[in-house]
Amino acid sequence: MSSRNPQPLSMQWNFQRRWPPEQSTANPVFRVAVQGSDIVVTASDTDYVMTYHKPTNSPQLLAKNFPRKEDRRVSMTLADFLTAAYKLANDKARELRWIV
């Protein structure tokens, strides 16, 4: 039988990790870009990117690509981003006269 001598506390590896990771309190800056027949809305410093397009016989924009999970690094929720992206894309589509 062998005896184990634990290391003194001063020699043990000690660290603290916050969970969940700290979230940014800064508000992301939204960017709206037109790429061909698509309108792309992004939020700075996030993984949130939303793409809309307007089919020829449709009176409204349709979502083409969208984020499927929360970006935990920022305080903005996915629902908040989707709401803002929809409004910004529609405003841009009206400006371009894609929709009324």
Side-chain angles (χ1 to χ4, degrees), residues 43-63:
S44 64
D45 301 325
T46 72
D47 291 335
Y48 296 146
V49 178
M50 185 75 191
T51 305
Y52 294 93
H53 73 284
K54 168 134 177 355
T56 305
N57 296 325
S58 176
Q60 63 190 14
L61 295 176
L62 297 178

PDB file of all heavy atoms in Angstrom, residues 43-63:
ATOM      1  N   ALA A  43     -25.113  41.851 -37.874  1.00  0.00           N
ATOM      2  CA  ALA A  43     -24.891  42.593 -36.632  1.00  0.00           C
ATOM      3  C   ALA A  43     -23.420  42.455 -36.281  1.00  0.00           C
ATOM      4  O   ALA A  43     -22.897  41.335 -36.196  1.00  0.00           O
ATOM      5  CB  ALA A  43     -25.779  42.057 -35.513  1.00  0.00           C
ATOM      6  N   SER A  44     -22.749  43.592 -36.070  1.00  0.00           N
ATOM      7  CA  SER A  44     -21.310  43.566 -35.791  1.00  0.00           C
ATOM      8  C   SER A  44     -20.994  42.783 -34.526  1.00  0.00           C
ATOM      9  O   SER A  44     -21.792  42.737 -33.587  1.00  0.00           O
ATOM     10  CB  SER A  44     -20.785  44.998 -35.659  1.00  0.00           C
ATOM     11  OG  SER A  44     -21.380  45.618 -34.538  1.00  0.00           O
ATOM     12  N   ASP A  45     -19.838  42.155 -34.525  1.00  0.00           N
ATOM     13  CA  ASP A  45     -19.315  41.404 -33.371  1.00  0.00           C
ATOM     14  C   ASP A  45     -20.228  40.254 -32.945  1.00  0.00           C
ATOM     15  O   ASP A  45     -20.245  39.880 -31.774  1.00  0.00           O
ATOM     16  CB  ASP A  45     -19.052  42.325 -32.179  1.00  0.00           C
ATOM     17  CG  ASP A  45     -18.061  43.423 -32.513  1.00  0.00           C
ATOM     18  OD1 ASP A  45     -17.130  43.147 -33.295  1.00  0.00           O
ATOM     19  OD2 ASP A  45     -18.208  44.543 -32.003  1.00  0.00           O
ATOM     20  N   THR A  46     -21.013  39.721 -33.877  1.00  0.00           N
ATOM     21  CA  THR A  46     -21.881  38.573 -33.591  1.00  0.00           C
ATOM     22  C   THR A  46     -21.789  37.575 -34.731  1.00  0.00           C
ATOM     23  O   THR A  46     -21.189  37.850 -35.774  1.00  0.00           O
ATOM     24  CB  THR A  46     -23.364  38.987 -33.448  1.00  0.00           C
ATOM     25  OG1 THR A  46     -23.880  39.331 -34.737  1.00  0.00           O
ATOM     26  CG2 THR A  46     -23.563  40.132 -32.483  1.00  0.00           C
ATOM     27  N   ASP A  47     -22.419  36.429 -34.537  1.00  0.00           N
ATOM     28  CA  ASP A  47     -22.544  35.429 -35.600  1.00  0.00           C
ATOM     29  C   ASP A  47     -23.858  35.592 -36.359  1.00  0.00           C
ATOM     30  O   ASP A  47     -24.215  34.747 -37.165  1.00  0.00           O
ATOM     31  CB  ASP A  47     -22.492  34.009 -35.007  1.00  0.00           C
ATOM     32  CG  ASP A  47     -21.117  33.667 -34.461  1.00  0.00           C
ATOM     33  OD1 ASP A  47     -20.124  34.265 -34.919  1.00  0.00           O
ATOM     34  OD2 ASP A  47     -21.035  32.801 -33.573  1.00  0.00           O
ATOM     35  N   TYR A  48     -24.585  36.658 -36.086  1.00  0.00           N
ATOM     36  CA  TYR A  48     -25.906  36.846 -36.668  1.00  0.00           C
ATOM     37  C   TYR A  48     -25.818  37.435 -38.079  1.00  0.00           C
ATOM     38  O   TYR A  48     -25.350  38.552 -38.270  1.00  0.00           O
ATOM     39  CB  TYR A  48     -26.759  37.770 -35.800  1.00  0.00           C
ATOM     40  CG  TYR A  48     -27.068  37.233 -34.425  1.00  0.00           C
ATOM     41  CD1 TYR A  48     -27.173  38.092 -33.344  1.00  0.00           C
ATOM     42  CD2 TYR A  48     -27.260  35.875 -34.190  1.00  0.00           C
ATOM     43  CE1 TYR A  48     -27.484  37.621 -32.072  1.00  0.00           C
ATOM     44  CE2 TYR A  48     -27.561  35.391 -32.921  1.00  0.00           C
ATOM     45  CZ  TYR A  48     -27.665  36.273 -31.877  1.00  0.00           C
ATOM     46  OH  TYR A  48     -27.974  35.803 -30.623  1.00  0.00           O
ATOM     47  N   VAL A  49     -26.304  36.669 -39.053  1.00  0.00           N
ATOM     48  CA  VAL A  49     -26.389  37.104 -40.440  1.00  0.00           C
ATOM     49  C   VAL A  49     -27.714  36.585 -40.990  1.00  0.00           C
ATOM     50  O   VAL A  49     -28.041  35.412 -40.823  1.00  0.00           O
ATOM     51  CB  VAL A  49     -25.236  36.542 -41.303  1.00  0.00           C
ATOM     52  CG1 VAL A  49     -25.378  36.975 -42.760  1.00  0.00           C
ATOM     53  CG2 VAL A  49     -23.889  36.952 -40.749  1.00  0.00           C
ATOM     54  N   MET A  50     -28.464  37.456 -41.648  1.00  0.00           N
ATOM     55  CA  MET A  50     -29.768  37.090 -42.187  1.00  0.00           C
ATOM     56  C   MET A  50     -29.824  37.518 -43.639  1.00  0.00           C
ATOM     57  O   MET A  50     -29.456  38.650 -43.966  1.00  0.00           O
ATOM     58  CB  MET A  50     -30.852  37.807 -41.368  1.00  0.00           C
ATOM     59  CG  MET A  50     -32.227  37.460 -41.707  1.00  0.00           C
ATOM     60  SD  MET A  50     -32.589  35.829 -41.045  1.00  0.00           S
ATOM     61  CE  MET A  50     -34.120  35.534 -41.855  1.00  0.00           C
ATOM     62  N   THR A  51     -30.267  36.619 -44.514  1.00  0.00           N
ATOM     63  CA  THR A  51     -30.377  36.925 -45.938  1.00  0.00           C
ATOM     64  C   THR A  51     -31.830  36.807 -46.373  1.00  0.00           C
ATOM     65  O   THR A  51     -32.501  35.831 -46.057  1.00  0.00           O
ATOM     66  CB  THR A  51     -29.510  35.959 -46.775  1.00  0.00           C
ATOM     67  OG1 THR A  51     -28.173  36.005 -46.297  1.00  0.00           O
ATOM     68  CG2 THR A  51     -29.530  36.337 -48.245  1.00  0.00           C
ATOM     69  N   TYR A  52     -32.295  37.826 -47.091  1.00  0.00           N
ATOM     70  CA  TYR A  52     -33.655  37.845 -47.640  1.00  0.00           C
ATOM     71  C   TYR A  52     -33.573  37.963 -49.156  1.00  0.00           C
ATOM     72  O   TYR A  52     -32.616  38.521 -49.688  1.00  0.00           O
ATOM     73  CB  TYR A  52     -34.434  39.066 -47.120  1.00  0.00           C
ATOM     74  CG  TYR A  52     -34.694  39.048 -45.639  1.00  0.00           C
ATOM     75  CD1 TYR A  52     -33.814  39.661 -44.760  1.00  0.00           C
ATOM     76  CD2 TYR A  52     -35.823  38.438 -45.118  1.00  0.00           C
ATOM     77  CE1 TYR A  52     -34.050  39.661 -43.395  1.00  0.00           C
ATOM     78  CE2 TYR A  52     -36.080  38.432 -43.758  1.00  0.00           C
ATOM     79  CZ  TYR A  52     -35.182  39.046 -42.909  1.00  0.00           C
ATOM     80  OH  TYR A  52     -35.432  39.035 -41.560  1.00  0.00           O
ATOM     81  N   HIS A  53     -34.599  37.464 -49.838  1.00  0.00           N
ATOM     82  CA  HIS A  53     -34.714  37.680 -51.280  1.00  0.00           C
ATOM     83  C   HIS A  53     -36.179  37.914 -51.629  1.00  0.00           C
ATOM     84  O   HIS A  53     -37.076  37.601 -50.843  1.00  0.00           O
ATOM     85  CB  HIS A  53     -34.135  36.506 -52.078  1.00  0.00           C
ATOM     86  CG  HIS A  53     -34.978  35.277 -52.033  1.00  0.00           C
ATOM     87  ND1 HIS A  53     -35.039  34.436 -50.942  1.00  0.00           N
ATOM     88  CD2 HIS A  53     -35.823  34.746 -52.953  1.00  0.00           C
ATOM     89  CE1 HIS A  53     -35.871  33.441 -51.196  1.00  0.00           C
ATOM     90  NE2 HIS A  53     -36.372  33.605 -52.405  1.00  0.00           N
ATOM     91  N   LYS A  54     -36.409  38.477 -52.806  1.00  0.00           N
ATOM     92  CA  LYS A  54     -37.772  38.731 -53.255  1.00  0.00           C
ATOM     93  C   LYS A  54     -38.029  37.908 -54.504  1.00  0.00           C
ATOM     94  O   LYS A  54     -37.516  38.209 -55.567  1.00  0.00           O
ATOM     95  CB  LYS A  54     -37.979  40.203 -53.563  1.00  0.00           C
ATOM     96  CG  LYS A  54     -39.289  40.410 -54.287  1.00  0.00           C
ATOM     97  CD  LYS A  54     -40.078  41.497 -53.783  1.00  0.00           C
ATOM     98  CE  LYS A  54     -41.350  41.767 -54.523  1.00  0.00           C
ATOM     99  NZ  LYS A  54     -41.670  41.063 -55.709  1.00  0.00           N
ATOM    100  N   PRO A  55     -38.818  36.852 -54.362  1.00  0.00           N
ATOM    101  CA  PRO A  55     -39.194  36.083 -55.553  1.00  0.00           C
ATOM    102  C   PRO A  55     -40.014  36.957 -56.515  1.00  0.00           C
ATOM    103  O   PRO A  55     -40.709  37.887 -56.092  1.00  0.00           O
ATOM    104  CB  PRO A  55     -40.061  34.944 -55.005  1.00  0.00           C
ATOM    105  CG  PRO A  55     -39.664  34.840 -53.561  1.00  0.00           C
ATOM    106  CD  PRO A  55     -39.301  36.234 -53.140  1.00  0.00           C
ATOM    107  N   THR A  56     -39.944  36.645 -57.769  1.00  0.00           N
ATOM    108  CA  THR A  56     -40.592  37.458 -58.802  1.00  0.00           C
ATOM    109  C   THR A  56     -42.080  37.663 -58.552  1.00  0.00           C
ATOM    110  O   THR A  56     -42.583  38.770 -58.658  1.00  0.00           O
ATOM    111  CB  THR A  56     -40.393  36.803 -60.185  1.00  0.00           C
ATOM    112  OG1 THR A  56     -39.004  36.616 -60.387  1.00  0.00           O
ATOM    113  CG2 THR A  56     -40.957  37.679 -61.287  1.00  0.00           C
ATOM    114  N   ASN A  57     -42.804  36.625 -58.220  1.00  0.00           N
ATOM    115  CA  ASN A  57     -44.259  36.734 -58.072  1.00  0.00           C
ATOM    116  C   ASN A  57     -44.705  36.865 -56.620  1.00  0.00           C
ATOM    117  O   ASN A  57     -45.846  36.561 -56.298  1.00  0.00           O
ATOM    118  CB  ASN A  57     -44.934  35.516 -58.709  1.00  0.00           C
ATOM    119  CG  ASN A  57     -44.686  35.463 -60.204  1.00  0.00           C
ATOM    120  OD1 ASN A  57     -44.623  36.490 -60.861  1.00  0.00           O
ATOM    121  ND2 ASN A  57     -44.518  34.275 -60.741  1.00  0.00           N
ATOM    122  N   SER A  58     -43.826  37.333 -55.754  1.00  0.00           N
ATOM    123  CA  SER A  58     -44.169  37.473 -54.343  1.00  0.00           C
ATOM    124  C   SER A  58     -44.262  38.947 -53.965  1.00  0.00           C
ATOM    125  O   SER A  58     -43.421  39.746 -54.379  1.00  0.00           O
ATOM    126  CB  SER A  58     -43.116  36.785 -53.471  1.00  0.00           C
ATOM    127  OG  SER A  58     -43.391  36.998 -52.110  1.00  0.00           O
ATOM    128  N   PRO A  59     -45.265  39.318 -53.163  1.00  0.00           N
ATOM    129  CA  PRO A  59     -45.372  40.717 -52.737  1.00  0.00           C
ATOM    130  C   PRO A  59     -44.486  41.061 -51.544  1.00  0.00           C
ATOM    131  O   PRO A  59     -44.474  42.206 -51.090  1.00  0.00           O
ATOM    132  CB  PRO A  59     -46.849  40.839 -52.351  1.00  0.00           C
ATOM    133  CG  PRO A  59     -47.214  39.474 -51.873  1.00  0.00           C
ATOM    134  CD  PRO A  59     -46.410  38.523 -52.729  1.00  0.00           C
ATOM    135  N   GLN A  60     -43.736  40.092 -51.027  1.00  0.00           N
ATOM    136  CA  GLN A  60     -42.936  40.327 -49.831  1.00  0.00           C
ATOM    137  C   GLN A  60     -41.581  39.628 -49.926  1.00  0.00           C
ATOM    138  O   GLN A  60     -41.362  38.791 -50.792  1.00  0.00           O
ATOM    139  CB  GLN A  60     -43.670  39.829 -48.598  1.00  0.00           C
ATOM    140  CG  GLN A  60     -43.901  38.334 -48.610  1.00  0.00           C
ATOM    141  CD  GLN A  60     -44.833  37.888 -47.507  1.00  0.00           C
ATOM    142  OE1 GLN A  60     -45.509  38.705 -46.901  1.00  0.00           O
ATOM    143  NE2 GLN A  60     -44.872  36.606 -47.237  1.00  0.00           N
ATOM    144  N   LEU A  61     -40.705  39.998 -49.001  1.00  0.00           N
ATOM    145  CA  LEU A  61     -39.406  39.341 -48.904  1.00  0.00           C
ATOM    146  C   LEU A  61     -39.562  37.984 -48.240  1.00  0.00           C
ATOM    147  O   LEU A  61     -40.422  37.800 -47.380  1.00  0.00           O
ATOM    148  CB  LEU A  61     -38.440  40.183 -48.071  1.00  0.00           C
ATOM    149  CG  LEU A  61     -38.026  41.531 -48.622  1.00  0.00           C
ATOM    150  CD1 LEU A  61     -37.157  42.259 -47.607  1.00  0.00           C
ATOM    151  CD2 LEU A  61     -37.299  41.373 -49.934  1.00  0.00           C
ATOM    152  N   LEU A  62     -38.694  37.068 -48.592  1.00  0.00           N
ATOM    153  CA  LEU A  62     -38.654  35.759 -47.950  1.00  0.00           C
ATOM    154  C   LEU A  62     -37.260  35.520 -47.393  1.00  0.00           C
ATOM    155  O   LEU A  62     -36.261  35.929 -48.000  1.00  0.00           O
ATOM    156  CB  LEU A  62     -39.006  34.649 -48.944  1.00  0.00           C
ATOM    157  CG  LEU A  62     -40.416  34.688 -49.534  1.00  0.00           C
ATOM    158  CD1 LEU A  62     -40.584  33.558 -50.545  1.00  0.00           C
ATOM    159  CD2 LEU A  62     -41.459  34.576 -48.441  1.00  0.00           C
ATOM    160  N   ALA A  63     -37.206  34.851 -46.255  1.00  0.00           N
ATOM    161  CA  ALA A  63     -35.911  34.526 -45.638  1.00  0.00           C
ATOM    162  C   ALA A  63     -35.239  33.442 -46.459  1.00  0.00           C
ATOM    163  O   ALA A  63     -35.859  32.469 -46.871  1.00  0.00           O
ATOM    164  CB  ALA A  63     -36.122  34.059 -44.211  1.00  0.00           C
TER     165      ALA A  63
END
